[in-house]
Amino acid sequence: MSGRHIRHGWDAPEAPARRTGLFGRRAVRIPVIIVSALSVCGLATVVLRSVSADADGCGSAGITLTVAADPAVAPALTEIGSRWSATSPMVGEDCVRVEVVEKPSYELANSLGTWAGGSVDVAGKAAPTPSDSELPVVWVPDSSYWLGRVRAVDKDIFDAAAPSVAASPVVLAVPETVARGLSDKLGAGVDATLLKSMLFSKTPALKLGVVEPRRDTAGMVGAMMLSDAVVASEADLPALVAVYRGIGGPVADTGALWKAYAAGMTGAPVSEQAVIAYNAATPKAPMAAITLAQAPTLDFPFAVRARQPRPLAAAAALFSQALRSGEYKSVFAEKGLRSPEGEASTGFPTGHGVTSNNVFVQPLNDMNKVRGAMTVWVAAKTPSRVIALVDATSSMGRTMTGGGNTAVRMQVLRSAAEKGLRLFTDDSEVGLWAFAGQGHAPLVPLAELTKTQRGKLNGAVQHAAPLPTDVSPLYASILDGYRELIKGFDPSRSNTLVVFTDGRDSSGMQLRAMQRELEKLADVTKPVRVVLLGLGPDVKLSDLQALADTTGGAAFQVTDPSQMEAIFLKALLA
């Protein structure tokens, strides 16, 4: 087994045959002296080897327990691991040595995702697939957030129990000079409502920045608090996209975040431990740690990879017990970390808003809420490649519902398209096609959303008018749009065909035949989604949903014009 060494005993020499007589007795005496001397030398050799092996606990022998730890907790675990190993902990007859490797949580999550046969989006390239021997036995990320994201790829990758070994609340880091001017507004801390007023009033009190939430727990906490501050219903989702676009960054890591303050940023969610470390390194320009009310906490779970050999699993259990025994709580405290219960032990640094008061520990483990915020974040920050395919048949001149609503379907489409363009980043690519009669017509070719391209698209939409035909080549137009997106597929963008229609296909092609054609075109290396929005009461949503399901897309029916913008965004996020 890798990392485990078994010492083999020396074979004892055979005892010489006993001899009698004077000559015999004298003949035996010399070999006995020689053997005795050799035995003493041999014993010395064994003792020396034993001392050499055990001077630091285990030396190169025994069981090596590999632990990958986030940089926030790695220094503490390294010191504790060294001290604990020196006590010669044993599993059976083998001693245990802890080997700690510092690894950002997002980096190991990326590697574990590919190893498990999937991926964890960390706003970067997927890691090469590691071998089993390249992965640690134990992982201590900064938060249960990472366990949830990796378990979304493989739910059985870790043992069920992953107890916390330390904690650090997420706070709002504000330059102390700025914090003094906010003291009358802060009260007992900043909740979502207060954060909204500080960020979005006519004279904002803060300019917020974040580390990319897909690679930073505190960044995700910030994104979720913004979502709580802005979104009261689905109709507010477009506003959240605008908010995410308006905040500074995202930056790659906390080190880059500190540098962003020089560019005018005045607040960012980070861990309390990060503020303590920053102030220790930069005492002349300290950051104040402002409490974020009801915000999740970094909880540093001790996660053991499942199906480990028994000796390694036993060694991991022993080390976990030692970390949580309280014997080493001062080591955690000196590194700016609290106990799993939120207590600050002897040696914990205070000042600049950091106190020794207990904090409530609330791990970030609501993965449904995480997914909701992350989906909007990705849509707001990631470029898209979209062809909008719009129905131009005569039925688009009818009212939306026919039940007292006088909104004309084409006018609803115009409004949705105009507002929808605001949801795409400037480095997205968007084109516009219309279909009616014998086929489709490209109104605006697919191109990057420069100011000129936006003008072309808005102009084409505003001048769009229904044609005098009810012949709807819906299926053929979808197939042509799908082919176009595959032909120029861009893996750095979300490649999507968005279809606006108020009816069914009238070409004679059956739904199942259409699905087979889409299945033939599909390429797993070039995923293209088809998202369909059905306008009005004439839409057969089940047919649209069947088409969407074939490509991993989504379908929605719109019967109220006021729903359009929110549903359009939901369609893009689906």
Side-chain angles (χ1 to χ4, degrees):
M1 180 178 64
S2 176
R4 186 178 180 188
H5 307 275
I6 301 175
R7 301 175 189 162
H8 298 279
W10 290 17
D11 293 331
E14 293 183 6
R18 187 166 183 173
R19 302 173 70 177
T20 59
L22 181 61
F23 182 81
R25 286 195 296 272
R26 290 185 62 192
V28 167
R29 294 176 76 178
I30 294 175
V32 166
I33 294 171
I34 294 173
V35 168
S36 298
L38 289 174
S39 297
V40 171
C41 293
L43 178 60
T45 301
V46 171
V47 171
L48 287 173
R49 287 186 179 182
S50 176
V51 170
S52 174
D54 293 338
D56 65 347
C58 288
S60 60
I63 299 170
T64 299
L65 180 67
T66 54
V67 179
D70 188 85
V73 74
L77 294 187
T78 299
E79 181 176 336
I80 295 169
S82 177
R83 287 167 55 174
W84 183 70
S85 296
T87 66
S88 299
M90 304 291 289
V91 170
E93 297 182 356
D94 294 306
C95 58
V96 180
R97 181 181 62 182
V98 175
E99 182 179 290
V100 178
V101 178
E102 184 175 300
K103 194 85 169 175
S105 296
Y106 76 88
E107 286 189 9
L108 192 57
N110 193 2
S111 294
L112 287 168
T114 56
W115 180 82
S119 65
V120 176
D121 181 6
V122 295
K125 293 182 179 179
T129 304
S131 64
D132 185 76
S133 63
E134 292 175 316
L135 294 175
V137 175
V138 176
W139 184 28
V140 185
D142 66 8
S143 169
S144 294
Y145 166 68
W146 293 107
L147 300 189
R149 295 194 64 194
V150 175
R151 280 175 170 149
V153 179
D154 181 352
K155 63 183 178 63
D156 299 318
I157 194 169
F158 304 113
D159 289 349
S164 170
V165 299
S168 186
V170 175
V171 299
L172 192 65
V174 177
E176 200 158 77
T177 52
V178 176
R180 292 192 191 103
L182 297 174
S183 58
D184 60 326
K185 299 180 181 180
L186 299 178
V190 177
D191 59 13
T193 303
L194 181 55
L195 182 64
K196 183 178 181 180
S197 68
M198 294 172 72
L199 293 175
F200 310 124
S201 62
K202 291 183 179 179
T203 55
L206 285 177
K207 182 177 180 183
L208 193 69
V210 295
V211 179
E212 167 62 62
R214 286 172 285 177
R215 59 198 296 144
D216 183 78
T217 307
M220 175 49 68
V221 170
M224 292 169 65
M225 285 197 72
L226 286 171
S227 179
D228 290 342
V230 173
V231 179
S233 68
E234 289 181 348
D236 297 321
L237 287 175
L240 181 59
V241 170
V243 167
Y244 282 166
R245 292 232 177 104
I247 63 177
V251 295
D253 53 39
T254 306
L257 187 73
W258 298 131
K259 295 177 182 178
Y261 281 85
M265 189 181 75
T266 56
V270 300
S271 71
E272 179 186 69
Q273 188 270 347
V275 172
I276 292 171
Y278 175 84
N279 288 339
T282 321
K284 293 184 178 179
M287 290 285 171
I290 296 174
T291 301
L292 287 174
Q294 302 177 346
T297 316
L298 304 190
D299 62 322
F300 301 95
F302 189 94
V304 181
R305 284 202 299 128
R307 299 174 292 277
Q308 295 298 305
R310 286 185 180 180
L312 285 175
L318 283 177
F319 189 46
S320 175
Q321 290 171 9
L323 292 174
R324 294 179 291 113
S325 66
E327 182 178 352
Y328 302 103
K329 59 184 179 181
S330 63
V331 179
F332 286 113
E334 289 165 2
K335 302 294 190 292
L337 294 167
R338 297 173 179 267
S339 74
E341 295 75 33
E343 298 173 350
S345 301
T346 303
F348 183 78
T350 59
H352 307 294
V354 177
T355 74
S356 59
N357 297 338
N358 290 359
V359 299
F360 176 69
V361 177
Q362 179 181 326
L364 178 53
N365 52 19
D366 185 345
M367 298 313 294
N368 287 329
K369 192 171 182 179
V370 164
R371 278 189 291 272
M374 187 175 293
T375 299
V376 181
W377 176 269
V378 172
K381 294 290 188 178
T382 304
S384 302
R385 184 168 175 270
V386 173
I387 292 177
L389 183 62
V390 301
D391 193 333
T393 57
S394 60
S395 59
M396 289 293 288
R398 299 174 190 166
T399 56
M400 187 72 172
T401 65
N405 193 322
T406 59
V408 176
R409 298 176 189 181
M410 182 60 78
Q411 184 55 46
V412 172
L413 187 151
R414 289 192 191 107
S415 176
E418 182 179 355
K419 293 177 181 177
L421 273 178
R422 301 171 191 165
L423 302 176
F424 296 104
T425 60
D426 290 340
D427 52 352
S428 294
E429 294 181 356
V430 179
L432 178 65
W433 292 9
F435 66 92
Q438 298 303 308
H440 74 272
L443 303 181
V444 181
L446 193 64
E448 191 168 303
L449 267 182
T450 61
K451 185 176 181 180
T452 300
Q453 180 72 354
R454 288 182 184 273
K456 289 179 181 178
L457 290 164
N458 279 321
V461 167
Q462 293 308 314
H463 290 92
L467 298 176
T469 177
D470 265 339
V471 177
S472 175
L474 173 62
Y475 291 170
S477 300
I478 289 175
L479 292 173
D480 287 342
Y482 196 92
R483 292 188 187 98
E484 181 70 17
L485 287 168
I486 285 183
K487 184 173 67 176
F489 183 83
D490 185 346
S492 68
R493 291 174 163 86
S494 171
N495 296 258
T496 308
L497 181 66
V498 180
V499 183
F500 297 86
T501 181
D502 72 344
R504 308 178 187 181
D505 179 84
S506 60
S507 67
M509 180 183 288
Q510 298 300 307
L511 174 62
R512 184 60 194 130
M514 173 60 177
Q515 289 178 293
R516 283 195 294 268
E517 290 300 315
L518 283 173
E519 289 166 357
K520 290 177 186 176
L521 291 173
D523 183 342
V524 292
T525 67
K526 298 178 180 180
V528 172
R529 296 187 315 141
V530 177
V531 173
L532 301 105
L533 290 91
L535 310 180
D538 304 327
V539 171
K540 190 174 181 181
L541 185 59
S542 59
D543 285 0
L544 300 185
Q545 188 63 59
L547 290 176
D549 291 345
T550 306
T551 66
F556 301 87
Q557 185 169 15
V558 184
T559 57
D560 183 346
S562 64
Q563 303 171 332
M564 193 63 200
E565 185 178 16
I567 289 179
F568 184 37
L569 179 58
K570 283 182 64 179
L572 295 177
L573 300 179

